[in-house]
Amino acid sequence: MDTHRQIRRIGFIGLGIMGRSMAGHVLAAGHELWVYNRSRDKADELIGRGARWCDSPGELAAACDMVITIVGYPSDVEQVYLGDGGLVERAAPGTLLVDMTTSSPSLARRIAQAAQARDCAALDAPVSGGDVGAREARLSIMVGGDEAAFQRALPVLSCMGKNIVRLGGPGNGQHTKMCNQIVIASTIVGVTEGLVYAQRAGLDPTTVLQAIGGGAAAGFQLNVLGPRIVAGDVAPGFFIEHFLKDLGIALGEAAQMGLELPGLTLARSLYEKMAGRGFARDGTQALFKLYQG
Ligand code: NAP
């Protein structure tokens, strides 16, 4: 494999809440950027800033030295990478493929194998830090894959994140992201219940956030999502339907390891109720609605 192929032209697929900001940072760092998204209008702003549009993942792969993707579900990842005329089929030898979607470890391993068979390299590199972290280029990036490919990707990943860690071979980035989601799942339940309790006790929730937000309970869920809960703001930074996707992947992986995770199971059942009531496209902080009866 040509591990020295220089990275000049970068392709970006998936221009949603996360991808739009992340691609913008890559462009702002001075890279040539090619973009593709299921709905074309989401690319308008980037095209206005100099990015070029491609009509398909395959066309984009053929034009680029490195391709970054952050789409929705594992099924989207599979289609974009392994589908007919997809990234793996159309990428030239030496192309570096980096999937930043939260997806399944086993799919990441399949993509890495398929890429290797075409003389390309693939990394799984999911992110944490939310819509705010994407906007401010402060994401944590958890990478699985070959060390040489990681080193090639690092300068570009550094445009989007501050804490970039390689955790071993293909799939381990996704496994690490599952650890992250397992931590978040019980944390958001705790944050929601703490704030519901504050209201019921007649406390001013904003002052409660001030008081506890600098102590041992501090963190993204309390300090960033807590104020959104208090304001009744359910606009999605992170869709409930995507969180449910992640909780399903994590519980599936845990089951394969013979591991029971009751906190995670409880969080999933609460979010399933939310989805059942039509709130799947709200942000995860909307969980407080369940406690309003
Ligand atoms: P999003 O707003 O739905 O963005 C996904 C984008 O990918 C959409 O613009 C979608 O197109 C596009 N897309 C989906 N399938 C595609 C395909 N087959 N071909 C081309 N484009 C496709 O979601 P997001 O919040 O940015 O999240 C993206 C991923 O990152 C998810 O896996 C999520 O779990 C993960 N993540 C999200 C956050 C967060 O806080 N939001 C944080 C960490 C990780 P359309 O415009 O047509 O829908």
Side-chain angles (χ1 to χ4, degrees), residues 132-143:
V132 183
R135 274 200 301 278
E136 297 179 356
R138 280 194 297 103
L139 293 168
S140 281
I141 307 179
M142 304 148 230
V143 187

Side-chain angles (χ1 to χ4, degrees), residues 5 56-65 67 86-88 90-92 95 97:
R5 184 170 154 180
S56 69
E59 186 186 322
L60 179 136
C64 295
D65 307 304
V67 179
L87 294 180
V88 171
R90 295 286 307 279
T95 306
L97 306 169

Side-chain angles (χ1 to χ4, degrees), residues 43-58:
D44 288 348
E45 197 255 339
L46 288 164
I47 292 169
R49 290 169 53 194
R52 297 175 209 194
W53 173 259
C54 291
D55 281 324
S56 69

Side-chain angles (χ1 to χ4, degrees), residues 13-20 22 36-42 53 57 69-80 99-103 126-134 139-140 142 177 180-181 220 228 236-239 241-243 245-246 281 284:
I13 299 180
L15 304 172
I17 293 176
M18 300 296 283
R20 220 175 313 168
M22 292 160 70
Y36 171 70
N37 189 67
R38 187 169 53 197
S39 315
R40 185 178 170 148
D41 59 311
K42 299 229 173 103
W53 173 259
T69 53
I70 180 157
V71 290
Y73 296 87
S75 54
D76 299 316
V77 174
E78 182 157 9
Q79 183 201 350
V80 166
D99 182 34
M100 304 185 83
T101 315
T102 305
S103 176
V127 302
S128 178
D131 52 338
V132 183
L139 293 168
S140 281
M142 304 148 230
K177 174 70 188 188
N180 186 79
Q181 299 310 73
F220 184 97
R228 295 184 197 176
F238 182 37
F239 292 118
E241 63 186 12
H242 281 165
F243 198 33
K245 171 245 318 168
D246 299 351
R281 297 282 291 174
T284 50

Side-chain angles (χ1 to χ4, degrees), residues 73 234 236 238-245 271-284 286 289:
Y73 296 87
V234 298
F238 182 37
F239 292 118
I240 284 174
E241 63 186 12
H242 281 165
F243 198 33
L244 273 169
K245 171 245 318 168
Y271 276 104
E272 275 171 343
K273 270 192 201 158
M274 291 292 290
R277 293 183 193 179
F279 302 133
R281 297 282 291 174
D282 281 355
T284 50
K289 285 183 181 176

Side-chain angles (χ1 to χ4, degrees), residues 203-226:
L203 297 166
D204 172 40
T206 301
T207 316
V208 169
L209 277 178
Q210 242 172 34
I212 69 175
F220 184 97
Q221 304 302 308
L222 185 72
N223 299 68
V224 176
L225 298 189

